[in-house]
Amino acid sequence: MEKLECLLCHRLYPLNVFFPFCPECNEPLLFSYPQKRREILLEREGLEKYLDFLPLDRVDRSLSLGEGNTPLIKLTRLSKKLSLSSLLAKNETLNPTHSFKDRGSAVAIQKALSLGLEKIGTVSTGNMAASTAAYGAKAGLKTYVLLKEDTSSEKLLSTAIFNPVLIKVKGDYGKLFSKSYSLSQKLNIYFMNSIDPLRIEGYKITGYEIFLQLERKSPRFIFVPVSSGGHLTGLMRAFIDLKKEGLIKNYPTFVGVQARGCSPLAQAFEKKKLRFTRISKADTLAHAISNPDPPGGNIALKMIREHGGMIVAVSDREILEAQKMLAGEEGIFCQPASATVLAGLLRIKKKFKFKTQDDIILIITGSGLKAVDALDSSRIHVHHTSISNLENVVKSTI
Amino acid sequence: MEKLECLLCHRLYPLNVFFPFCPECNEPLLFSYPQKRREILLEREGLEKYLDFLPLDRVDRSLSLGEGNTPLIKLTRLSKKLSLSSLLAKNETLNPTHSFKDRGSAVAIQKALSLGLEKIGTVSTGNMAASTAAYGAKAGLKTYVLLKEDTSSEKLLSTAIFNPVLIKVKGDYGKLFSKSYSLSQKLNIYFMNSIDPLRIEGYKITGYEIFLQLERKSPRFIFVPVSSGGHLTGLMRAFIDLKKEGLIKNYPTFVGVQARGCSPLAQAFEKKKLRFTRISKADTLAHAISNPDPPGGNIALKMIREHGGMIVAVSDREILEAQKMLAGEEGIFCQPASATVLAGLLRIKKKFKFKTQDDIILIITGSGLKAVDALDSSRIHVHHTSISNLENVVKSTI
């Protein structure tokens, strides 16, 4: 009974997990909003709590890895430093594979099993690959991970451990993305890629949790890194849901943040364009959001436009600086792609005056352990001494 | 009012965080059991829920990184494979710095602040270093991390990001551990090391959570990796607490697991010795539990003896095999030290008959991302192809 909708032409289609795109517009399809009243089922746990808002009939608990329920942490020291009264981090690195992707995988895998599918897949080399492979393993499904040819074996280890079928494919990454859907239909492999509509429904739960954690309030601002556009779209849909159900009055202002070296959506937003232009070459150390041709980009742009949000870009230098601040001031070690949210806030703060009562949420999408190679080990300052001289060295630092 | 107790000679001492050892026996001190009735405060959140059981007067929420509340996951596929009816993993990798150490740091940092201390420290190169540095950063305390001389810069990155004072010290690691306490007293630095009594109180919460997650029941078996002995001791104390308060009837059987290449406690247990003998040279890839001279070893041995538990050793080969099984069958990627628990279960299963109704808990202590270098990238099987030939390659794998 679930219908998918094209956000651009508003045509409706039945759910087809093998090809969730509008045949007219080529844009990814999203679930259309149901007519029925929905509510958060507070007495339940896990996905079941939000079942009314998900395109699932039931939840098979045995497929869960314990995703969600991530902490919303007050950034007390940063707030003070930046003269903001309520700056908070939604720390998605406390998910089972240490990134927000688990939210989407958890919902998509439910659908895969309820449809009786036996094979899933994804096109990714990073967080999504590990997440999909982990949930595929838990469900006992054969999992295909399609990779860029130049992916290093080291980078693959944290996905390979889940024992998926790994295939490195020569050629253009965008074409590989399209190709995955032709395989999907021919071979009954559900490719739960970045803009998969079930995956995006899973991202909504982060939004509902924020609402509950703020004691049934809407935050004023939400900063989120933007790559394919799927995560931003999911989070925005959560607050559309909450508004529709009369649970919040004010819609938050979403600020999508991209890395300057790969910022097709920030560029389109700045130029007030309806559609983004593909970037010829990405150049940023924030690999997890380095997507020159984001498949959900036009939809994300449309939603941001319609809800008074913005998309900004930050430099790699700003990203690394923000990453250090989050760790050094607040004890949160995130990957560079995630640090963009603080970099974006610092950038906007220069021209924008936040009000004292504004809750500002930074979505921390992935763990720093995912990209330790982005840190420069030569810049670590280490003292060297012997046990007998240790006291003197410690005293010199006090 | 809190008293520390020597478990060996039963003398009582006032709390001194700078030197928590029995001056007579040299053994680490633990908090003595209070006379008052205690209960879990279900309507509260975080540490406050367990405040009755903790040696804290109050909880400062601003010091939390969102530790705890980790999932207890049914290992459905492994249960079936091993013909066990209820095998579960308590996944401690979903803590803020992705290891169980955060449980201890979270409690110790509360005490540091309530005592008005400004400097903390730890002797560690791994999980504890990152955890202590993260909580130190969050609290705005100066944090000292004392390291072995041969620690690689790469290994330090995930600790250095929190901006502690890093000091590499030449000489014996055991002597460095002792030296930290002489510095502690002279320079007012609270070294919250592995067997710190506050840290051990923090580990108890994992036990209370398991009790609640099993719907107020005691599991039959708990498998936990053993290094210094602190974690095992904390978990065992949780169930002593629950028994004292009449919340459980049966005390679980604890199985401590060590890596064969560094198993002083398993050796002492096997030989029925009251005290362990220091190992001359550790040789295991499970670095996180490679402690040749565990400071809490004799206490852990005593507790295991008194409560009918056991300590076993497993080989590196068994550890890597168990690590692969946990990931490939259950979607849980842990570090080798943590995989010992499944290796230990597999070993015991050969001679021991588990009953059908037995709940068996594996404590998964740290994330696989902490020790990616333990995996052999040359053994990953990757297919190579072009986009045009992709379909054929995929078909060949079905």
Side-chain angles (χ1 to χ4, degrees), chain B residues 180-251:
Chain B
S180 74
Y181 289 101
S182 85
L183 285 183
S184 182
Q185 297 168 86
K186 278 193 201 164
L187 305 173
N188 271 2
I189 304 172
Y190 172 13
F191 273 91
M192 35 185 80
N193 291 331
S194 54
I195 46 64
D196 178 79
L198 271 308
R199 191 176 276 286
I200 289 175
E201 293 298 293
Y203 299 151
K204 295 195 313 189
I205 296 175
T206 311
Y208 308 142
E209 284 182 11
I210 291 170
F211 161 73
L212 292 176
Q213 286 168 316
L214 290 178
E215 292 172 357
R216 307 184 83 83
K217 232 179 34 178
S218 190
R220 183 66 191 84
F221 290 91
I222 298 182
F223 286 76
V224 58
V226 179
S227 177
S228 71
H231 194 200
L232 173 65
T233 297
L235 290 165
M236 291 190 77
R237 282 170 69 86
F239 288 89
I240 293 173
D241 282 346
L242 294 170
K243 194 120 197 277
K244 268 189 197 295
E245 301 308 325
L247 294 167
I248 55 167
K249 266 190 284 188
N250 301 313
Y251 195 84

Side-chain angles (χ1 to χ4, degrees), chain A residues 70-250:
Chain A
T70 58
L72 184 70
I73 299 291
K74 282 212 174 196
L75 305 182
T76 321
R77 288 158 49 74
L78 270 182
S79 296
K80 199 174 275 181
K81 206 161 188 162
L82 305 176
S83 306
L84 296 169
S85 67
S86 180
L87 180 62
L88 303 109
K90 179 70 172 164
N91 193 346
E92 291 292 292
T93 77
L94 276 74
N95 273 303
T97 72
H98 310 317
S99 90
F100 76 99
K101 293 286 184 182
D102 294 333
R103 304 269 193 179
S105 306
V107 171
I109 203 89
Q110 292 283 343
K111 187 56 89 181
L113 272 281
S114 74
L115 294 174
L117 303 178
E118 289 167 356
K119 300 188 286 294
I120 61 169
T122 197
V123 182
S124 164
T125 53
N127 290 334
M128 194 163 54
S131 178
T132 306
Y135 281 83
K138 178 74 176 159
L141 301 186
K142 192 151 195 168
T143 306
Y144 291 84
V145 178
L146 307 186
L147 309 152
K148 273 191 275 199
E149 197 192 5
D150 59 358
T151 311
S152 74
S153 292
E154 281 65 32
K155 195 155 180 205
L156 287 185
L157 284 166
S158 56
T159 296
I161 190 79
F162 299 112
N163 207 24
V165 180
L166 295 166
I167 308 178
K168 281 191 188 174
V169 190
K170 224 182 294 190
D172 180 73
Y173 197 65
K175 284 197 186 120
L176 176 58
F177 181 84
S178 307
K179 180 73 177 183
S180 73
Y181 289 101
S182 85
L183 285 184
S184 184
Q185 297 167 87
K186 277 192 203 168
L187 305 174
N188 270 0
I189 304 173
Y190 171 14
F191 273 91
M192 34 185 81
N193 290 332
S194 54
I195 44 62
D196 177 79
L198 271 308
R199 189 176 278 287
I200 289 175
E201 293 297 294
Y203 299 150
K204 295 194 314 188
I205 295 175
T206 311
Y208 308 142
E209 284 182 9
I210 291 170
F211 161 73
L212 293 176
Q213 285 168 317
L214 291 177
E215 292 171 358
R216 307 184 81 85
K217 233 179 34 180
S218 190
R220 182 68 191 82
F221 290 91
I222 298 181
F223 286 75
V224 59
V226 179
S227 177
S228 70
H231 193 200
L232 173 65
T233 297
L235 289 165
M236 292 190 76
R237 283 170 67 87
F239 288 88
I240 294 173
D241 283 345
L242 293 171
K243 194 123 197 277
K244 266 188 197 296
E245 302 307 325
L247 295 167
I248 56 169
K249 268 191 284 191
N250 301 312

Side-chain angles (χ1 to χ4, degrees), chain B residues 220-224 226 232 236 251-257 265-266 269-270 272 300-312 348 352:
Chain B
R220 183 66 191 84
F221 290 91
I222 298 182
F223 286 76
V224 58
V226 179
L232 173 65
M236 291 190 77
Y251 195 84
T253 299
F254 277 86
V255 184
V257 192
L265 303 186
F269 178 81
E270 204 187 333
K272 300 190 169 34
L301 275 173
K302 184 170 194 281
M303 290 185 68
I304 281 284
R305 226 167 35 233
E306 289 177 355
H307 289 89
M310 52 189 125
I311 304 182
V312 300
I348 283 177
F352 192 92

Side-chain angles (χ1 to χ4, degrees), chain B residues 349-360:
Chain B
K349 221 185 144 282
K350 288 176 195 156
K351 30 186 180 177
F352 192 92
K353 215 174 145 42
F354 292 96
K355 296 207 190 93
T356 34
Q357 72 274 29
D358 290 348
D359 288 314
I360 302 169

Side-chain angles (χ1 to χ4, degrees), chain B residues 104-124:
Chain B
S105 306
V107 171
I109 202 89
Q110 292 283 344
K111 187 56 87 181
L113 272 280
S114 75
L115 294 173
L117 303 178
E118 289 169 355
K119 300 187 285 297
I120 61 169
T122 197
V123 182
S124 163

Side-chain angles (χ1 to χ4, degrees), chain A residues 277-307:
Chain A
T277 308
R278 184 193 162 132
I279 299 280
S280 56
K281 202 181 167 325
D283 180 19
T284 171
L285 52 71
H287 298 298
I289 53 166
S290 175
N291 192 332
D293 189 14
N298 293 326
I299 286 178
L301 275 172
K302 184 169 194 281
M303 289 184 69
I304 279 285
R305 226 166 37 233
E306 288 176 356
H307 290 89

Side-chain angles (χ1 to χ4, degrees), chain B residues 46 67 73 229 258 267 294:
Chain B
E67 59 288 337
I73 299 290
Q258 297 207 294
Q267 287 175 32

